[in-house]
Amino acid sequence: MIRPAQLKDAEAICEVHKSAIRGLCSSHYQKDEIEAWTSMPKPEAYRSVIPAGKKLLLVAEQNDEIVGFGQVDFRNQEIEAVYVSPDVTGSGVGKKLLTELEDASRKEGLKTLRLSASLNACGFYKKAGYRKLDNTKHTLRSGIQIGCVNMEKKI
């Protein structure tokens, strides 16, 4: 089930975020990059987005457990996150989250969405119709830079 996030979900969203990075990104990123990346997510960051406005934060639930989340910034026309627990990778949860974010973006009048994909997620987004624009670096709060790919889709 996909639903809008609630304030009580912040801790679980944070845990999914960290477990997804640790479990799914190690094939493309170094250990120090993973550690710096997983030190960032804090429940407060999700709580600030949950009162819907110019951003939308959705969660995916299975058996009353949050197994994924996705976030879109309507103002910047950007998918900011789609993360799923390693336990549900390949089951369609990420695709469902992305589809819901795209549908909500269309309802907001958007025609194009952009994102900065982690290197391990490029294939996922390509299958969903996103095209590569260029390679880039994302600077984490620690100052460590990680490789990413800017992508775009007409919706």
Side-chain angles (χ1 to χ4, degrees):
M1 176 175 87
I2 308 294
R3 63 168 174 79
Q6 300 171 4
L7 291 173
K8 68 178 182 162
D9 299 328
E11 296 282 341
I13 294 168
C14 189
E15 286 309 309
V16 166
H17 196 168
K18 289 179 181 184
S19 70
I21 294 166
R22 286 189 186 109
L24 304 173
C25 299
S26 61
S27 59
H28 290 79
Y29 295 95
Q30 301 296 316
K31 185 174 179 146
D32 63 327
E33 294 171 319
I34 298 287
E35 288 307 311
W37 198 354
T38 55
S39 71
M40 288 184 353
K42 305 282 187 242
E44 298 77 35
Y46 308 108
R47 285 188 192 105
S48 69
V49 176
I50 290 170
K54 291 299 175 185
K55 292 187 181 191
L56 174 64
L57 179 59
L58 300 175
V59 295
E61 277 186 323
Q62 286 185 352
N63 302 319
D64 296 322
E65 181 181 337
I66 293 175
V67 296
F69 74 97
Q71 182 173 308
V72 62
D73 180 330
F74 298 127
R75 185 175 306 158
N76 292 322
Q77 301 179 333
E78 180 181 10
I79 298 288
E80 294 184 322
V82 175
Y83 287 88
V84 299
S85 170
D87 298 340
V88 299
T89 301
S91 69
V93 171
K95 177 65 176 156
K96 288 176 188 170
L97 281 164
L98 184 59
T99 299
E100 291 285 333
L101 294 171
E102 290 173 349
D103 289 348
S105 297
R106 275 187 212 91
K107 288 177 185 170
E108 288 289 317
L110 303 183
K111 306 287 184 216
T112 303
L113 283 171
R114 291 180 296 281
L115 56 86
S116 182
S118 58
L119 300 177
N120 57 291
C122 289
F124 167 77
Y125 289 113
K126 187 175 180 182
K127 277 187 190 177
Y130 287 79
R131 67 180 183 89
K132 178 181 176 178
L133 299 175
D134 58 14
N135 294 321
T136 188
K137 296 277 186 180
H138 176 76
T139 304
L140 302 172
R141 287 187 198 131
S142 64
I144 290 179
Q145 291 188 327
I146 59 172
C148 295
V149 177
N150 287 326
M151 302 181 86
E152 180 180 80
K153 179 181 180 179
K154 304 284 184 210
I155 58 168

